[in-house]
Amino acid sequence: MSSILSGKQWVVLSLAGVAALLVVAFLLVGPPQLLAKSDSPGFCAGCHVMESEHTAFLHAGAHRRNRCVDCHLPNENLAIHYVWKSIDGMKDAIFFYSGHTPERITLSEHGAKVLQANCIRCHEELVSMINTEQKCWSCHRSITHLRSGAIETL
């Protein structure tokens, strides 16, 4: 039995490998423009559990010009951004479609670190002379989704 592939077997195996790579790439990236679409606040508001957060976001002053991913995903490195986008997206989809979405959505410990880093990144010059260990939203409560005025009474 020969361990060397014939020319025809090599071509078939190569084509199968290319097809497998294309399928994997499609599954990772999705249809054209999916990554761009999934960056929009409207996409995040597509799940009814995020409607109140989206409504509050629309009333959040200057921050409403941002996208959800500008604050809620790591932005110091594109690769890390997409890794966490995949992780968070998959986690959100599992919670949503399994029916285990919490009544009140809260920020995880990792999410708080990411949010704090993004606040500092965007406002670096303003915060350069203050203690950045304290969470920005502990003083600036009006920037949180629940305190933006749109749903402050909840």
Side-chain angles (χ1 to χ4, degrees):
M1 182 170 170
S2 175
S3 64
I4 299 175
L5 297 173
S6 72
K8 187 175 181 179
Q9 289 174 324
W10 190 86
V11 170
V12 169
L13 189 59
S14 296
L15 289 174
V18 169
L21 284 174
L22 289 173
V23 167
V24 168
F26 182 82
L27 292 174
L28 289 174
V29 178
Q33 303 301 318
L34 179 61
L35 281 176
K37 182 180 178 184
S38 66
D39 279 349
S40 72
F43 181 85
C44 296
C47 295
H48 71 272
V49 296
M50 294 302 292
E51 286 175 358
S52 61
E53 283 78 4
H54 184 255
T55 300
F57 161 78
L58 292 175
H59 294 67
H63 288 110
R64 72 174 171 252
R65 290 189 292 269
N66 294 355
R67 301 166 304 161
C68 304
V69 297
D70 294 333
C71 296
H72 291 283
L73 287 178
N75 288 298
E76 70 276 356
N77 176 300
L78 193 60
I80 293 171
H81 175 87
Y82 283 118
V83 166
W84 277 103
K85 183 175 185 169
S86 300
I87 292 169
D88 284 350
M90 188 59 66
K91 176 189 59 113
D92 292 346
I94 289 169
F95 276 121
F96 181 74
Y97 289 110
S98 69
H100 290 96
T101 305
E103 185 70 29
R104 182 174 174 164
I105 297 171
T106 58
L107 199 56
S108 68
E109 186 178 326
H110 175 262
K113 289 177 184 175
V114 168
L115 195 61
Q116 180 75 1
N118 284 326
C119 289
I120 292 168
R121 180 181 52 81
C122 284
H123 301 288
E124 186 174 15
E125 206 168 295
L126 290 171
V127 300
S128 65
M129 302 296 267
I130 65 171
N131 175 8
T132 56
E133 295 298 315
Q134 184 174 354
K135 300 298 182 207
C136 298
W137 53 94
S138 64
C139 294
H140 299 276
R141 288 180 284 282
S142 65
I143 65 169
T144 67
H145 292 290
L146 293 175
R147 303 256 186 211
S148 69
I151 56 175
E152 187 170 6
T153 58
L154 291 180

